[in-house]
Amino acid sequence: MKALTWHGKRDVRVDTVPDPAIKDPTDVIVKITTTGLCGSDLHLYEVLGPFLDPGDILGHEPMGIVEEVGSEVTRVRPGDRVVIPFNVSCGTCYMCGHGLHSQCETTQVREQGSGASLFGYTKLYGQVPGGQAEYLRVPFGNTLPIPVPGDGPDDRFVYLSDVLPTAWQAVEYAAVPPGGTVAVLGLGPIGDMATRIAAHRGAGRVIGIDLVPERLRRAAAHGVHTLDLTTYGADLADAVRDLTDGRGPDSVIDAVGMEAHGAPVAKGAQHLTTMLPDALAARMMRRFGVDRLSALHLAIDLVRRGGTISLSGVYGGVADPLPLLTMFDKQIQLRMGQANVWRWVDDLLPLLTDGDVLGVDDFATHRLPLAEAPAAYEMFQKKNDGAVKVLFTP
């Protein structure tokens, strides 16, 4: 089959690789019909090379048609249409039973000190082959795949794999009071969708902050009050407080993470690490890794006293300095973590089957064949051509 594989920093290729096969009686093989390019994939493209091997298959946002099932699979059958969550979760352990599928005890990568395995996401998360491919082996066939209706475009359902549950959890964790104000930092796929979900769930005002004109226009078209970081610069916090009676928003969602602009020292340290031999680089990142924290520091500055910050942007540093004095003094509540996909499926499916409440049908900005994935990664990384969400068709 054809699959998108990692070969080095900013070097991804579509290769011919062996087809996946049933290994365990609860496995299913899914023929991928649509698969997404996630902002988290850019971390693999840029800085997480020490935790990858050449030939690793990337991607964690797939959906498709069940092709083959193991002997103990009863919940799905060949021909069924399914979405595959990015968490590899068993659905039956203590953590899954408490709605913490991203902490699944069956697939935790204990040797790395990590939570549940993820499709297509490095040795840190199990080195499981990903879904930017023609076929995907999916374990836990009775509990992991999300069955979806057989009609309607893939765009209606594919975001159940990551974008929708991640954005929903970001808003849930933000604890926006009814009629309250939430500011969303970063209007990429997760931030954009979080603004829509926050409005749907009753936020009185949604403020979106970014520096990419196309992303700002896209959010504004959905009723978001947008602020261009390049226009306000150091005065951004004052501009936000002016919109919120001088207090700041009740909640702030950081949908940027380690890709933040405005942190040249940390960015330089990250890129210097990628030049080291992999074994040394991995040790350095585990013990001394730092992130670009400008978005998080902005969130801490913006949020009102007693407010809540929700982190959905991915951070990977282990030595990140935080302004704990300010956070304590402002009595900030902080929630974070990988999305627990299955926890939110029952909330999200009705919004996809009873009309297009969240505008998913036209959420993608680019739909491309998998053969064009290498160019798409570069386009997305450079934020060219208005790229916000890219979907591949294998």
Side-chain angles (χ1 to χ4, degrees), residues 20-184:
I22 298 286
K23 294 183 180 178
D24 298 316
T26 55
D27 287 349
V28 301
I29 303 298
V30 176
K31 179 179 173 61
I32 303 302
T33 55
T34 299
T35 184
L37 171 57
C38 179
S40 297
D41 290 326
L42 295 182
H43 308 330
L44 313 183
Y45 192 63
E46 284 285 338
V47 299
L48 292 181
F51 304 104
L52 289 155
D53 289 328
D56 281 355
I57 300 173
L58 307 185
H60 57 269
E61 297 186 349
M63 70 171 292
I65 306 297
V66 175
E67 181 90 357
E68 183 182 356
V69 301
S71 60
E72 295 181 11
V73 175
T74 59
R75 189 162 175 262
V76 296
R77 58 186 181 181
D80 285 353
R81 192 183 193 197
V82 294
V83 175
I84 308 304
F86 74 95
N87 322 117
V88 184
S89 57
C90 72
T92 57
C93 69
Y94 174 90
M95 288 293 179
C96 290
H98 284 74
L100 294 169
H101 299 82
S102 67
Q103 310 302 324
C104 174
E105 291 182 326
T106 305
T107 73
Q108 280 178 18
V109 188
R110 291 177 174 82
E111 63 271 22
Q112 300 286 351
S114 302
S117 297
L118 308 178
F119 285 105
Y121 215 79
T122 79
K123 298 172 187 175
L124 292 172
Y125 289 97
Q127 206 169 25
V128 181
Q132 289 171 2
E134 292 182 313
Y135 293 91
L136 178 67
R137 171 184 168 263
V138 179
F140 311 113
N142 290 318
T143 52
L144 183 55
I146 303 170
V148 295
D151 57 350
D154 277 10
D155 292 39
R156 179 63 63 93
F157 301 107
V158 68
Y159 304 115
L160 280 172
S161 59
D162 184 349
V163 173
L164 284 168
T166 297
W168 188 275
Q169 181 171 296
V171 175
E172 176 75 16
Y173 281 10
V176 188
T181 298
V182 58
V184 179

Side-chain angles (χ1 to χ4, degrees), residues 166 169-170 173-174 252-255 257 295-296 299 309-315 322 334-338:
T166 297
Q169 181 171 296
Y173 281 10
V252 177
I253 296 172
D254 175 359
L296 178 54
I309 296 173
S310 171
L311 298 186
S312 63
V314 175
Y315 287 96
L322 292 175
L334 180 63
R335 295 196 72 184
M336 67 190 83
Q338 298 277 11

